[in-house]
Amino acid sequence: RAEDCWIVVDGIVFDVTSFLSAHPGGKKILLKEAGKDATKKFKMFHGPKVLTKYKKKLQVGVVKGSIAHKNINQEAKEGSDDVKALNRVEKVSRQLNLPEANIIYKPFGDQVPWGDPSWYQGNNSPYYTDSHIKWRKRVRKFMEEVIEPNVHEWDESYQFPKYVFKKFYEAGLMPGIVGPPWDESLCGVAPPEGGFDSFHELILVDELARCGSGG
């Protein structure tokens, strides 16, 4: 029921009633899973950080006998799969004795199947350089520190504070919105190393979309 919608993910019970209208995928998906264990479907499209993001606001309990119940006072460890994947990448790099000029893309982010670009998952690409990797880290830092902790509250209030634009400017990201070539006059910051191109712009758009706002 839309007026009382609960779901279970990893043994944690969430009351998503207030989140229905803000869910980026629409409320019908959540209503379809109401009263069920939605863990499998959740993990097809989301990473563990989504749970961390909304846990305080939406968690109402845990399922008795679940892992969450047994470890009720201990946060689930994040990144174990990423660490294993990263070790595999570095091991292969050493075995092949690759020169430093060759870029090995280390797995980045939550590694959500079909949810991350292939180069985020460690796959090689001829289009992304070390400059793009540094830019991605810079944008992700802004999202995690400024946007993600507040986006649910902003969605609920239907208001977007203007100070965010100032933060965006101070982070040196503003020129990225208008695309290449980089306009230094928009923030007084030099472009990314090697120049700002369409792939830098693509990274910016992709990272900004990760906030999960319904708009």
Side-chain angles (χ1 to χ4, degrees):
R1 297 183 302 166
E3 61 272 16
D4 191 21
C5 183
W6 294 22
I7 62 171
V8 175
V9 178
D10 278 342
I12 303 173
V13 184
F14 295 94
D15 181 352
V16 295
T17 308
S18 63
F19 183 65
L20 290 175
S21 61
H23 185 236
K27 65 180 180 181
K28 288 184 179 179
I29 296 175
L30 291 176
L31 289 172
K32 190 175 180 181
E33 299 302 315
K36 303 176 184 177
D37 187 335
T39 302
K40 186 175 180 180
K41 289 188 177 179
F42 176 88
K43 289 186 175 180
M44 289 174 64
F45 303 101
H46 307 81
K49 286 187 178 179
V50 177
L51 289 182
T52 305
K53 178 179 176 182
Y54 294 107
K55 190 175 179 182
K56 274 188 177 181
K57 296 178 180 179
L58 303 180
Q59 181 180 353
V60 292
V62 296
V63 177
K64 188 176 181 179
S66 66
I67 295 177
H69 181 234
K70 295 176 182 177
N71 303 289
I72 194 168
N73 294 319
Q74 178 182 348
E75 289 291 334
K77 292 181 180 179
E78 292 184 18
S80 57
D81 290 338
D82 289 352
V83 172
K84 292 176 183 176
L86 176 57
N87 289 338
R88 286 198 299 272
V89 170
E90 292 179 340
K91 182 178 179 182
V92 170
S93 176
R94 288 194 300 270
Q95 289 176 339
L96 297 178
N97 195 27
L98 294 173
E100 291 184 5
N102 284 11
I103 295 176
I104 296 296
Y105 298 111
K106 298 178 181 179
F108 180 84
D110 297 327
Q111 302 294 290
V112 180
W114 314 111
D116 283 314
S118 62
W119 73 288
Y120 278 42
Q121 300 175 47
N123 297 317
N124 198 17
S125 168
Y127 305 109
Y128 296 97
T129 66
D130 188 55
S131 174
H132 296 104
I133 292 173
K134 291 176 181 177
W135 172 255
R136 177 181 63 182
K137 183 178 180 181
R138 182 169 152 190
V139 181
R140 179 66 66 96
K141 183 176 185 291
F142 172 81
M143 292 301 296
E144 291 181 340
E145 294 180 356
V146 179
I147 304 298
E148 291 182 5
N150 305 299
V151 69
H152 180 61
E153 180 182 337
W154 296 339
D155 275 348
E156 289 295 300
S157 64
Y158 296 98
Q159 294 183 20
F160 186 77
K162 292 184 179 180
Y163 78 80
V164 176
F165 293 104
K166 184 179 179 181
K167 292 282 187 180
F168 196 67
Y169 167 85
E170 292 172 347
L173 302 175
M174 192 68 78
I177 293 296
V178 297
W182 184 269
D183 188 347
E184 194 170 327
S185 66
L186 292 177
C187 68
V189 175
E193 183 181 347
F196 184 83
D197 59 27
S198 295
F199 292 100
H200 287 94
E201 182 183 11
L202 183 60
I203 291 170
L204 179 62
V205 172
D206 189 38
E207 289 296 322
L208 290 177
R210 291 172 183 275
C211 67
S213 171

